Structure formats: C-alpha cells, structure tokens
C-alpha cells in the first residue's frame, strides 16, 4: 500500500525481480566468506525487536550451502537477547556491510535455530573448527535463508580499519560503566 501511495511500486517490482533471491548466489557466498562482522535482528514472541552485532575473523559466518548459514555464539554478558528471541521466534535478519572496499551490503532474512556443536557437525561435518582461536562456542546459530538481496552503496560510508587505541589515549569508562553518568576516575579504562 505504501509503495502505491508513494508511486514506487514499479521500481519496487523491478527490484524484487532482479535483486531478491530465495537462495545465496555464488557472489553472495563469496562476499559472506570475506566479512568479519554482521548486524543481526531478532524479535521475541511478542514482536519486541533486538538489534545486535557479531564479529569474528573473515568467514566466521559459514556458508554451509546456498540456503544455509551458521555462526558460533561465544560466552558474552549472559543476557542471551538474540538467542532468547530465536528460541521464541525463529525469524531473523542479517545485514553484512562492506565499509572498506566495495561499499555494498547484503541482507539475508530467514529462519534461525540454535544447535549444539555436535548436532551441527553431524549435519555439516565441514564446518570450520577453531573459528576464534582459544574460544569455544557455547552453541551455533543455524540460519535457513528465506531471501537475500543487495543493500546499495549509496549511503555506506568508507571506513579505514585501524588498530584499537591503547594506553592513556583510550581513557574512557569501562564497558559496564560507559553509559552511566558520573563515572568515578577509578572506573576508567586506560589500558586494554
């Protein structure tokens, strides 16, 4: 209705016909294998949304085939917002963005489920081991692709990879205190 109201239905139809795929094309699979971060969207059974960020070495999100992805979940803050949502509502969206070279993005919407390592490897024995050296996944998120499509480069900024600042240049509140007002000086993070 909104497309009709704003007069974009013809452009949208052309986009759906040319850009939206029910599977991952070869260039999409190659693109994912080079990415070191992804933005993840989930919602609980009531539709309350959560947006999150995942990162790892390039290819930490593993393409299992043209309709399936998996990535490891490591120990975090214990909230389990994304995993909790997935356990209630399997709908998930992923957005991969290349900020440094081609300035393009890839949307993937699909159905997610949580798997332990044994079950994932039984179904997909070629899943890479030790994707983050020294860390063991608590479980894996297995995603069945429903649709995949481009996010155009028009407004993607160019970012240069850089080393994290360390020492006195980093002087900021510790993560747990970052968004809390009036952080005492002894709660500042000055070295990594």
């Amino acid at each position: 209705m909104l497309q009709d109201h704003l007069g974009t239905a013809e452009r949208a139809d052309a986009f759906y016909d040319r850009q939206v795929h029910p599977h991952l094309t070869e260039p999409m699979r190659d693109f994912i294998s080079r990415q070191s971060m992804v933005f993840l969207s989930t919602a609980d059974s009531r539709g309350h949304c959560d947006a999150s960020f995942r990162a790892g070495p390039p290819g930490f999100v593993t393409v299992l085939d043209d309709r399936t992805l998996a990535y490891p979940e490591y120990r975090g803050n214990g909230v389990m917002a994304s995993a909790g949502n997935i356990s209630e509502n399997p709908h998930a969206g992923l957005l991969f963005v290349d900020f440094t070279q081609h300035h393009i993005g890839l949307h993937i919407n699909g159905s997610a489920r949580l798997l332990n390592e044994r079950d994932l490897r039984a179904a997909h024995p070629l899943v890479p081991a030790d994707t983050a050296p020294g860390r063991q996944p608590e479980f894996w998120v297995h995603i069945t692709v429903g649709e995949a499509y481009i996010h155009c480069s028009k407004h993607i900024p160019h970012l240069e990879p850089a080393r994290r600042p360390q020492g006195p240049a980093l002087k900021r509140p510790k993560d747990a205190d970052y968004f809390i007002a009036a952080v005492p000086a002894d709660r500042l993070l000055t070295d990594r």
Side-chain angles (χ1 to χ4, degrees):
M1 289 187 329
L2 192 57
Q3 291 169 5
D4 288 336
H5 176 73
L6 296 176
T8 66
E10 189 174 318
R11 279 193 341 226
D13 287 343
F15 177 82
Y16 296 137
D17 288 344
R18 181 165 165 71
Q19 298 293 343
V20 181
H21 301 275
H23 57 83
L24 300 172
T25 65
E26 183 63 38
M28 289 175 180
R29 295 191 301 268
D30 181 59
F31 180 80
I32 293 167
S33 75
R34 296 188 315 267
Q35 301 311 301
S36 60
M37 64 180 156
V38 65
F39 300 94
L40 172 68
S41 63
T42 60
D44 67 17
S45 61
R46 296 167 295 166
H48 297 159
C49 297
D50 183 70
S52 194
F53 173 78
R54 297 292 183 274
F60 79 101
V61 175
T62 303
V63 177
L64 302 172
D65 58 46
D66 68 348
R67 296 182 187 272
T68 317
L69 302 169
Y71 68 86
E73 279 285 352
Y74 297 101
R75 183 174 182 264
N77 61 12
V79 173
M80 302 283 179
S82 300
N85 285 349
I86 289 168
S87 68
E88 292 183 16
N89 175 355
H91 298 289
L94 293 93
L95 175 60
F96 295 90
V97 182
D98 176 349
F99 292 103
T100 62
Q101 293 180 338
H102 297 157
H103 307 95
I104 200 81
L106 174 62
H107 291 266
I108 298 174
N109 295 319
S111 180
R113 61 189 173 123
L114 310 178
L115 293 177
N116 64 42
E117 180 122 5
R118 185 189 71 237
D119 291 343
L120 179 72
R121 290 192 184 284
H124 304 281
L126 299 179
V127 170
D130 208 19
T131 55
R135 299 181 73 193
Q136 292 297 324
E138 292 202 340
F139 51 88
W140 287 74
V141 177
H142 180 276
I143 298 161
T144 302
V145 175
E147 63 181 5
Y149 56 93
I150 193 170
H151 184 97
C152 73
S153 63
K154 189 175 187 178
H155 299 292
I156 296 175
H158 180 75
L159 302 178
E160 290 289 331
R163 292 183 52 164
R164 281 180 167 220
Q166 295 184 1
L170 182 63
K171 193 172 184 177
R172 68 168 180 84
K174 293 181 180 180
D175 291 358
D177 297 326
Y178 196 88
F179 293 107
I180 297 177
V183 176
D186 67 331
R187 297 287 300 163
L188 294 178
L189 183 63
T190 56
D191 204 3
R192 210 47 169 160

